[in-house]
Amino acid sequence: MANLKFLLGVLLLCSSCALGPGMRMDETALRERTQDEREGAEPNVTLVPITPAVLAQQLRERQQQLVPNPDPLGNLAATYEYHVAPRDVLSVTVWDHPELTIPAGEFRPAEATGHPVNADGSLFYPYVGVVQVAGKTLPELRTLLTERLGKVLQKPQLDVRVAAFRGYKVQVTGDVVAPSTLPITDVPMRALDALAQARGPTPEADLSNVVLSRDGKTYTLNLQATNEQGATSQNWLLKDGDILFVPDRSRNKIFVLGEVRRPSSRLMVKGRMSLAEAIGDTEGFDPVTSNPGKVYVIRGDFQRPTVYKLDASSADAMLLAVQFQLKPHDVVYVSAHNLTRWNRIISQLLPTVQLLWQSFDLTNRAGIIPTP
């Protein structure tokens, strides 16, 4: 009898441990961990039940994120004119004076036979000499050459065009089909125009966080909002030296842990994923071990987290999960049922109890311990 009491005491002592096997979510312990040391201060953790009011707040926040992102060059687009740059190649045609017009030839491109602008912005032209053309528009250059040729020709008529745009360039890098350096032409180039010339984004591209590097500073453009919601203020006009970087979506991960069929990390599609999608992509709640009444979304840093809680014990509560939008690096945790934790404790205790009982039984049979 004493031996039986001993075994029961060992079992009760082990089972009295509050921490069972595996991960768990203790709201009280979370508040204590984030409690400010100052007397009377509130915990740094925010525990928010997922309700229709929370969903409405989320919607307002998403709308605020679409506040126009002013394009510093936006006013130039309406009156945009191309200014000749060093390294450009110009094509000059003088009517009735073929000796001043270099024919392109049937199989020769115009840029191969045109007039290149020197690195210092100068250009040599017969009967005109060396003139500074960099920074001038085509109408200004046409007027200049007409005035100079008018000293040797009677009422010259000429046309000036850019045969090859080589002076102003932008770079498109990152997750695009064809990363490349693109020339800025006489047509204004915006961010989406540059992406199109780079043959578009790859399937892994994150258009909501396109980075524009300009004059030593970086700007974030949400080109996805431009495509989907008409937020044209995000589609900036580009200028010489700009670098457009399209990141991949590997940073837009969320993590689904706990009592789901397949815990894993998931990539958000186009920067969006609802709580219901995250749970569904991991094959749903484990019907044996999960406690759908305690589904948590943990957001923020370790010192000041925000924890959203969903009671999905009723199936209609998943309608809230459908509308609750996750953010990158969110952790979705599905708690285990109380009975699940108890069963896991018992399953770990049973081998020890069986070993102790077998040892007791063998010694009892051998007569080492007298039977009372």
Side-chain angles (χ1 to χ4, degrees):
M1 190 66 178
N3 295 322
L4 181 59
K5 291 180 179 178
F6 170 76
L7 292 176
L8 290 174
V10 172
L11 178 61
L12 291 174
L13 179 63
C14 295
S15 63
S16 65
C17 179
L19 296 176
M23 192 182 299
R24 70 193 186 103
M25 183 70 177
D26 189 333
E27 297 177 15
T28 302
L30 179 62
R31 289 191 178 93
E32 292 176 352
R33 178 180 65 78
T34 58
Q35 178 69 52
D36 197 308
E37 295 182 355
R38 293 174 299 177
E39 184 177 354
E42 294 293 329
N44 291 327
V45 64
T46 303
L47 186 61
V48 183
I50 297 178
T51 62
V54 171
L55 300 181
Q57 177 64 27
Q58 272 196 343
L59 179 60
R60 287 193 294 269
E61 291 176 354
R62 290 196 298 271
Q63 292 174 343
Q64 290 174 358
Q65 291 175 355
L66 294 180
V67 172
N69 189 10
D71 182 356
L73 304 179
N75 295 331
L76 300 179
T79 58
Y80 176 81
E81 282 191 283
Y82 184 80
H83 291 74
V84 176
R87 309 298 183 187
D88 281 347
V89 179
L90 302 181
S91 175
V92 182
T93 303
V94 183
W95 277 271
D96 294 330
H97 290 277
E99 74 279 5
L100 295 177
T101 302
I102 301 177
E106 185 177 0
F107 301 106
R108 299 174 65 187
E111 60 266 25
T113 56
H115 301 275
V117 180
N118 298 320
D120 61 357
S122 65
L123 172 74
F124 172 79
Y125 194 76
Y127 300 115
V128 173
V130 178
V131 292
Q132 286 292 324
V133 298
K136 297 183 181 298
T137 65
L138 294 182
E140 291 172 345
L141 184 55
R142 185 182 303 114
T143 300
L144 174 63
L145 294 180
T146 299
E147 291 176 353
R148 297 290 181 91
L149 287 175
K151 298 178 181 180
V152 295
L153 301 177
Q154 185 177 7
K155 296 182 179 180
Q157 296 185 19
L158 59 87
D159 184 30
V160 182
R161 297 184 180 181
V162 181
F165 297 93
R166 296 178 177 176
Y168 303 132
K169 299 177 181 179
V170 299
Q171 290 182 314
V172 183
T173 63
D175 272 62
V176 291
V177 175
S180 53
T181 300
L182 306 174
I184 296 179
T185 67
D186 53 346
V187 178
M189 179 183 290
R190 294 187 176 274
L192 283 177
D193 298 327
L195 290 185
Q197 293 188 41
R199 297 173 57 187
T202 67
E204 294 299 313
D206 178 15
L207 291 183
S208 62
N209 291 290
V210 176
V211 178
L212 173 62
S213 299
R214 171 182 293 172
D215 299 331
K217 298 181 180 180
T218 58
Y219 307 88
T220 301
L221 305 179
N222 187 350
L223 297 184
Q224 181 175 311
T226 302
N227 288 332
E228 297 180 353
Q229 304 172 33
T232 56
S233 64
Q234 303 287 330
N235 191 21
W236 282 20
L237 185 69
L238 302 181
K239 70 172 189 176
D240 180 43
D242 283 353
I243 300 176
L244 206 60
F245 173 74
V246 181
D248 61 34
R249 61 190 183 108
S250 61
R251 294 180 295 180
N252 292 345
K253 277 188 176 182
I254 56 97
F255 307 90
V256 186
L257 306 174
E259 304 305 317
V260 291
R261 292 180 183 270
R262 191 160 56 90
S264 59
S265 62
R266 311 298 299 175
L267 281 172
M268 304 176 74
V269 179
K270 294 185 177 181
R272 296 188 299 265
M273 180 172 287
S274 68
L275 177 56
E277 288 175 321
I279 295 173
D281 287 349
T282 53
E283 300 183 6
F285 299 124
D286 190 311
V288 177
T289 64
S290 66
N291 180 7
K294 293 185 177 181
V295 180
Y296 298 93
V297 177
I298 307 170
R299 177 177 298 169
D301 57 34
F302 186 75
Q303 298 299 328
R304 300 184 65 87
T306 299
V307 181
Y308 296 90
K309 180 180 179 181
L310 175 66
D311 182 357
S313 54
S314 177
D316 59 352
M318 290 303 294
L319 292 175
L320 297 174
V322 169
Q323 299 180 55
F324 185 87
Q325 294 297 316
L326 300 176
K327 292 184 178 180
H329 301 156
D330 277 355
V331 178
V332 178
Y333 178 74
V334 179
S335 291
H337 198 278
N338 291 336
L339 185 59
T340 299
R341 291 198 295 269
W342 168 256
N343 288 338
R344 287 173 178 171
I345 293 174
I346 295 300
S347 66
Q348 290 198 346
L349 285 175
L350 278 178
T352 302
V353 173
Q354 289 175 349
L355 177 62
L356 292 174
W357 174 255
Q358 290 172 358
S359 300
F360 167 76
D361 187 54
L362 288 175
T363 53
N364 188 39
R365 291 186 181 187
I368 298 177
I369 300 178
T371 303

